[in-house]
Amino acid sequence: MRLRLTIEYDGTPFRGWAVQPGLPTVEQSLRDALAATFASHQHLAVAGRTDTGVHAFGNVVSVDVEGGPPPERTTEALNTRLPDEVSVVRADEVPADFHARHSARARTYRYRIFTRKTPSPFERRRSWWVPRPIDVDRLEAAAAVLPGRHDFRAFTPTETQHRVFVRVVESATWIARGGHLDFEVTADSYLRHMVRTLVGSMVDGMDLTPLLAGRDRSEAGPTAPPWGLYLVSVAYDQDR
């Protein structure tokens, strides 16, 4: 039986999603829970391989399982075996050709900036504290040029395994929420550090237009810290 698991997690204690020997990762925590819940599991895939410290509200995993509870009892069974920082919020049986990564049509990320002049212990490792004044109009103007098909080479590390740097952005906007400024972006897929470097460049007041033509990484701005980034949701054609 192939399952689609929707999971959320606080990325603070983890060294990212992917398994790394001897280090705490979200994937290893989930694999341990699956092994304790089902007789077997294999072909685990994830929609978003988040980095160290990055959070998720709605990452998606596909996995083949045998010899365990039915889907309607899977969330409860897995959550009793997961650390407090990880939760399975939904489990569904899906067709055998469903793949969490390859079947995804789009992914939405949020980057959260905390703008209060004084720090907050509740925002530590949950947002990027930027107490200096930020030109919101300039942020919004920068985000407005992102929708469409662009070469994002300037927004990913120079040393990379990526061979194709073109991505299609569906929407990008800044939203003021109380003491926060949230950058929300939806795209077909992302390069490593792409969202964080876009944010760092916009906060530095840079004009993104010339950078979207495949400029060198050195021409873009700094990479914002990971703890302000959240994978919000993953969209699939079959959900429409």
Side-chain angles (χ1 to χ4, degrees):
M1 175 174 62
R2 178 156 294 189
L3 291 177
R4 167 178 163 176
L5 306 176
T6 302
I7 62 173
E8 61 183 16
Y9 48 86
D10 173 358
T12 303
F14 299 108
R15 294 296 294 271
W17 166 265
V19 169
Q20 300 179 58
L23 296 174
T25 66
V26 182
E27 181 183 5
Q28 188 62 63
S29 296
L30 181 60
R31 286 188 178 276
D32 290 345
L34 287 165
T37 303
F38 295 95
S40 68
H41 73 279
Q42 57 183 340
H43 303 141
L44 188 149
V46 68
R49 289 167 58 94
T50 50
D51 290 334
T52 298
V54 175
H55 317 293
F57 292 128
N59 209 344
V60 175
V61 169
S62 56
V63 61
D64 293 336
V65 297
E66 292 183 359
E72 61 268 22
R73 292 178 49 208
T74 293
T75 56
E76 181 181 0
L78 289 175
N79 286 332
T80 61
R81 298 177 170 101
L82 284 166
D84 292 341
E85 294 85 2
V86 184
S87 179
V88 176
V89 297
R90 180 167 177 168
D92 299 286
E93 184 175 1
V94 289
D97 63 350
F98 176 84
H99 189 281
R101 179 185 173 193
H102 300 314
S103 299
R105 177 181 59 80
R107 299 159 178 84
T108 297
Y109 278 89
R110 175 183 301 154
Y111 194 93
R112 169 155 281 197
I113 295 176
F114 183 52
T115 59
R116 197 174 74 182
K117 291 185 178 180
T118 54
S120 168
F122 302 107
E123 294 292 332
R124 186 175 180 271
R125 303 298 176 180
R126 299 290 187 280
S127 60
W128 180 21
W129 180 43
V130 182
R132 70 179 186 273
I134 299 176
D135 187 337
V136 178
D137 290 339
R138 193 162 186 170
L139 289 181
E140 292 174 344
V145 307
L146 290 174
R149 185 181 182 88
H150 305 289
D151 187 326
F152 287 92
R153 194 184 314 258
F155 302 97
T156 195
T158 302
E159 295 185 7
T160 177
Q161 295 181 348
H162 292 294
R163 296 184 178 181
V164 178
F165 298 91
V166 173
R167 297 293 186 269
V168 178
V169 174
E170 292 185 12
S171 63
T173 187
W174 284 92
I175 302 170
R177 294 185 171 105
H180 298 95
L181 278 174
D182 292 344
F183 174 61
E184 298 201 354
V185 57
T186 299
D188 58 347
S189 61
Y190 298 82
L191 303 173
R192 187 164 183 254
H193 295 176
M194 175 176 150
V195 176
R196 291 165 51 201
T197 308
L198 283 168
V199 169
S201 300
M202 286 187 279
V203 170
D204 263 18
M206 302 187 71
D207 179 6
L208 301 187
T209 302
L211 299 173
L212 296 173
R215 296 289 184 87
D216 188 77
R217 172 65 185 90
S218 62
E219 298 187 42
T223 300
W227 49 81
L229 185 60
Y230 297 76
L231 174 52
V232 175
S233 61
V234 185
Y236 298 89
D237 285 333
Q238 51 266 54
D239 293 337
R240 291 178 173 179

